[in-house]
Amino acid sequence: MAMDTERAEMRALEAEIAVLQQASKQLPAPWEDGARVRKSFQEIHQSDSAGWESSKDPKTHLRHLEAELSFLSMLTGFNITDYSKKTEDLTSTEMTEESIKKVLQRHRLSGSCHVVTFQLEFQILEIQNKENLSSVITDLSIVMEPTEYSELSEFVSRAEERRDLFMFFRGLHFFVEWCEYRKRTFKYFKDKYPDMVHLPKGACSLCMGIRSTSRPGFELVIVWRIQIDEEGKVSPVLDLLTKIPQRALELDKNRVIETAPLSFRTLLGVLGIEAAVECLIRLLHAGNE
Amino acid sequence: MEQANSVRPDGEPKAGILAHLEGLEAQMSRPCKRSKELQQARAEESALGTKIHELRRLRDKLRAEVNQQRARGKASSANVESGQTVEIGEQEVLERKQESVKAILQAYRFTGLSGKQTSRGVCVCISTAFEGNLLDSYFVDLVIQRPLWIHHHSIPVFIPLEKIAAKYLQTDVQRFLFSLCESLNAYAGRKYQADRLQSDFAAFLIRPLQRNSLCNLLSFTYKVDLMGQSSFCARLLYKDLTATLPTDATVTYQGKRKDGHAEKYCHMLHSSA
């Protein structure tokens, strides 16, 4: 009947439409799609500064990447200047049968953290089996400059021994921060009391000497060490050394000078570093009048 | 017409006229039905016709679209090819530089702290490790506004994130991140050690290892040798959440015979902690 043929035609048309709809979905519409994608990114962004992969101009893309790098460097405090990696596949035929994959990565990384530069070489062994992926640092070698921070060399050896890469960077960050703070603090006091404060090794001094202009022979020396413990935790350790003429010691019935180092430790706990040091300086300063 | 018919309930006799009329009605409805059927059939046919007409239109439209897309696709690929032949030297140099910068960006994860800029700020990724074993990574999504705030994160709930944020987030972002790094690495280290104890020394543990989610309180009962009878109950407390070593250790002997082991062990732990 006429109806049957028409129904057949309808079914055929529906099938063809379904196929065409599939085909139009699969084909990429390059210009249109690209424009649509870029527009939605712009809708999300407030500024066009981020380095997005869809950026067509390679020069702008590079600028974005470099901006991202400087941002990361500012955020972490580490400035990585060079990095390279080599991969070696150690999967044997037996391992492949059991779907185990073994890969050795050799990494080289160099950079700086403030004035300290580092060069690292480390190896990571990656073993992938059906259940999980294990990544282990199998070797770590660290070279640091400048080597005048003696406290660092012990810490570096410990990090190498334990192959603890993250502890190294964490410890380095806090250590350098404390060093900068020590430098700033010493400089502040030197600028404030130029006649009384004496830094034997200049800016990178471990010690700060306080002399009285009116009473030569009396000197208070603050020794400020920065310790890094077993776990990579950094803490300042301040000590007071006194240089007093013999006669003054004899006159010191109350043993003030003897107990000075301990008292200083207590003072530190109460006032903090800067206020405690200021206190000491004032003591000798007061002695001038 | 004067035929007597059955009496209707209301008393009126069903007149022969009515019966006749009914008969005529019946005669009429039969062709009506037929025509209704015809009408229906005709309606269906025309509906089908319009439907087919619509489907044909849709099919033609889709065909045209697909052909257009195919044509455009060929054109675009041709364009790209032509673009590449120009300035190939400069392109290579730029690409190499891009690769090197991208590699350095990737290398930041080896410092334990890395990040990716987002539309509103930065998504920081904190990696953890213990004695060379690389462990889980966590992320913190920061929105760079005044004040700085955390959009979302994957930090476990028992890590004191709010405390660390309250202390440092607004004044020193770096310090905030490194403090978080410290806590997370310490937790990861403690957890790794507890997991290893559970799996590698399972034969020596009399009861399964008990621990809290922060892995800073461990309790277990163990024996020193597989054949031995005596067992010891150990309790390790890690007061310092930024450390992977315990601050307190208690070992008690559980058994009848006196054994010098417990005292010796306690001494050892207390001297090293």
Side-chain angles (χ1 to χ4, degrees):
Chain A
M1 264 189 58
M3 287 262 282
D4 288 335
T5 48
E6 288 196 297
R7 282 214 189 85
E9 191 185 345
M10 191 174 82
R11 278 195 293 270
L13 278 169
E14 283 175 341
E16 198 179 344
I17 287 168
V19 167
L20 283 169
Q21 280 173 338
Q22 271 284 354
S24 87
K25 261 187 238 156
Q26 278 172 4
L27 276 175
W31 302 121
E32 267 186 0
D33 265 345
R36 225 184 316 132
V37 163
R38 248 177 279 130
K39 183 166 175 254
S40 61
F41 275 155
Q42 271 157 26
E43 277 165 349
I44 303 166
H45 297 243
Q46 284 153 3
S47 69
D48 63 346
S49 56
W52 298 101
E53 306 300 321
S54 65
S55 167
K56 299 266 177 205
D57 178 16
K59 279 211 189 95
T60 347
H61 190 29
L62 182 64
R63 265 207 301 276
H64 289 163
L65 286 174
E66 284 173 340
E68 191 153 350
L69 191 58
S70 73
F71 175 76
L72 213 51
S73 159
M74 178 207 73
L75 186 74
T76 61
F78 301 123
N79 185 27
I80 299 181
T81 50
D82 192 36
Y83 170 72
S84 67
K85 160 178 153 179
K86 280 194 207 132
T87 313
E88 192 185 323
D89 192 350
L90 297 178
T91 316
S92 67
T93 41
E94 293 97 23
M95 286 184 212
T96 327
E97 277 164 30
E98 292 176 39
S99 44
I100 297 176
K101 199 163 173 220
K102 198 165 161 186
V103 169
L104 183 68
Q105 303 170 347
R106 273 180 249 263
H107 305 263
R108 254 213 192 127
L109 196 154
S110 43
S112 65
C113 180
H114 279 256
V115 293
V116 177
T117 58
F118 49 79
Q119 264 180 326
L120 279 80
E121 276 184 37
F122 53 98
Q123 291 182 7
I124 297 182
L125 183 64
E126 263 192 12
I127 301 178
Q128 166 110 56
N129 59 21
K130 279 184 221 144
E131 290 143 11
N132 54 14
L133 167 71
S134 84
S135 296
V136 183
I137 301 173
T138 51
D139 193 60
L140 176 60
S141 130
I142 305 170
V143 174
M144 306 264 306
E145 267 177 68
T147 46
E148 48 194 66
Y149 289 128
S150 54
E151 299 118 314
L152 263 185
S153 50
E154 205 190 299
F155 167 65
V156 165
S157 328
R158 220 182 296 132
E160 281 178 330
E161 244 175 62
R162 288 165 60 156
R163 292 163 286 123
D164 206 331
L165 189 59
F166 298 155
M167 179 189 87
F168 164 71
F169 277 110
R170 248 186 356 260
L172 178 66
H173 168 258
F174 284 119
F175 180 82
V176 169
E177 254 200 13
W178 272 110
C179 281
E180 292 291 305
Y181 177 58
R182 175 175 63 189
K183 199 156 83 177
R184 276 200 313 270
T185 312
F186 280 172
K187 183 174 187 294
Y188 164 74
F189 284 115
K190 175 74 182 165
D191 291 343
K192 195 169 175 190
Y193 304 99
D195 301 325
M196 295 180 69
V197 172
H198 162 65
L199 301 174
K201 287 200 193 124
C204 292
S205 262
L206 255 170
C207 319
M208 179 178 112
I210 310 169
R211 291 181 191 143
S212 162
T213 46
S214 61
R215 282 169 178 61
F218 279 84
E219 190 173 351
L220 297 175
V221 178
I222 296 171
V223 181
W224 186 342
R225 275 175 288 127
I226 298 170
Q227 256 184 14
I228 313 179
D229 75 2
E230 284 276 320
E231 301 226 9
K233 295 237 288 259
V234 183
S235 48
V237 178
L238 284 94
D239 281 307
L240 178 68
L241 298 177
T242 57
K243 195 167 128 192
I244 311 287
Q246 188 67 30
R247 244 185 73 76
L249 273 173
E250 286 163 11
L251 289 169
D252 181 21
K253 296 285 183 341
N254 293 332
R255 290 159 67 231
V256 168
I257 293 161
E258 232 180 270
T259 55
L262 211 61
S263 313
F264 180 59
R265 280 274 174 97
T266 319
L267 198 65
L268 276 174
V270 173
L271 295 176
I273 297 174
E274 284 168 50
V277 174
E278 178 88 41
C279 207
L280 277 182
I281 298 176
R282 290 273 171 105
L283 265 175
L284 276 182
H285 201 256
N288 291 344
E289 284 118 34
Chain B
M1 285 214 244
E2 269 146 12
Q3 291 163 345
N5 291 314
S6 48
V7 180
R8 289 217 314 215
D10 53 13
E12 273 189 53
K14 213 176 180 188
I17 298 174
L18 281 175
H20 184 67
L21 278 174
E22 275 179 9
L24 284 174
E25 230 177 16
Q27 272 183 0
M28 275 304 292
S29 70
R30 249 177 280 122
C32 242
K33 235 196 281 177
R34 231 183 286 127
S35 76
K36 265 201 202 114
E37 278 175 16
L38 265 173
Q39 268 183 18
Q40 266 184 355
R42 257 185 239 129
E44 265 183 55
E45 242 185 89
S46 69
L48 203 55
T50 30
K51 186 110 199 265
I52 289 178
H53 188 67
E54 275 176 25
L55 284 174
R56 277 199 206 123
R57 255 195 26 219
L58 181 60
R59 191 260 328 258
D60 293 341
K61 178 167 155 243
L62 282 171
R63 258 196 202 155
E65 265 183 35
V66 169
N67 287 335
Q68 254 192 342
Q69 283 175 4
R70 286 208 182 109
R72 248 188 275 128
K74 282 196 195 129
S76 72
S77 59
N79 270 351
V80 168
E81 279 168 34
S82 67
Q84 273 182 351
T85 50
V86 183
E87 314 164 322
I88 197 151
E90 197 182 314
Q91 187 92 340
E92 251 187 44
V93 166
L94 279 172
E95 269 173 23
R96 224 174 290 144
K97 269 203 112 178
Q98 269 179 28
E99 290 308 311
S100 115
V101 175
K102 271 193 211 160
I104 293 179
L105 281 170
Q106 284 297 309
Y108 267 91
R109 66 196 160 102
F110 294 118
T111 65
L113 205 63
S114 99
K116 224 172 152 62
Q117 274 183 300
T118 62
S119 53
R120 298 193 285 174
V122 61
C123 185
V124 181
C125 178
I126 300 174
S127 317
T128 61
F130 181 71
E131 286 184 346
N133 294 281
L134 300 176
L135 305 168
D136 294 327
S137 297
Y138 303 89
F139 75 88
V140 179
D141 202 335
L142 294 171
V143 177
I144 300 180
Q145 277 175 8
R146 281 187 192 274
L148 215 65
W149 55 282
I150 300 172
H151 183 225
H152 58 286
H153 63 83
S154 68
I155 312 286
V157 70
F158 40 81
I159 300 283
L161 175 63
E162 287 82 29
K163 206 164 91 177
I164 300 173
K167 236 173 147 181
Y168 303 121
L169 184 61
Q170 304 307 328
T171 50
D172 192 345
V173 185
Q174 232 182 54
R175 189 114 184 245
F176 163 74
L177 292 174
F178 277 98
S179 292
L180 201 53
C181 221
E182 241 184 354
S183 294
L184 284 170
N185 270 278
Y187 158 69
R190 291 193 301 268
K191 180 170 177 294
Y192 179 81
Q193 287 176 87
D195 290 341
R196 288 280 82 71
L197 175 63
Q198 212 164 10
S199 63
D200 299 353
F201 292 91
F204 292 89
L205 291 173
I206 294 173
R207 275 199 327 266
L209 174 72
Q210 289 177 306
R211 56 164 117 173
N212 63 349
S213 34
L214 249 182
C215 289
N216 74 326
L217 181 59
L218 303 179
S219 169
F220 52 95
T221 313
Y222 66 100
K223 48 189 175 185
V224 186
D225 60 271
L226 291 169
M227 297 295 127
Q229 293 291 327
S230 45
S231 66
F232 300 90
C233 184
R235 188 173 167 274
L236 300 175
L237 177 65
Y238 302 70
K239 267 199 208 126
D240 186 356
L241 293 182
T242 61
T244 54
L245 289 173
T247 51
D248 293 282
T250 317
V251 180
T252 50
Y253 173 66
Q254 299 186 325
K256 296 194 182 124
R257 278 186 317 128
K258 190 160 178 357
D259 203 303
H261 167 90
E263 287 100 55
K264 254 192 274 169
Y265 191 59
C266 278
H267 276 277
M268 197 172 78
L269 277 173
H270 281 279
S271 58
S272 66

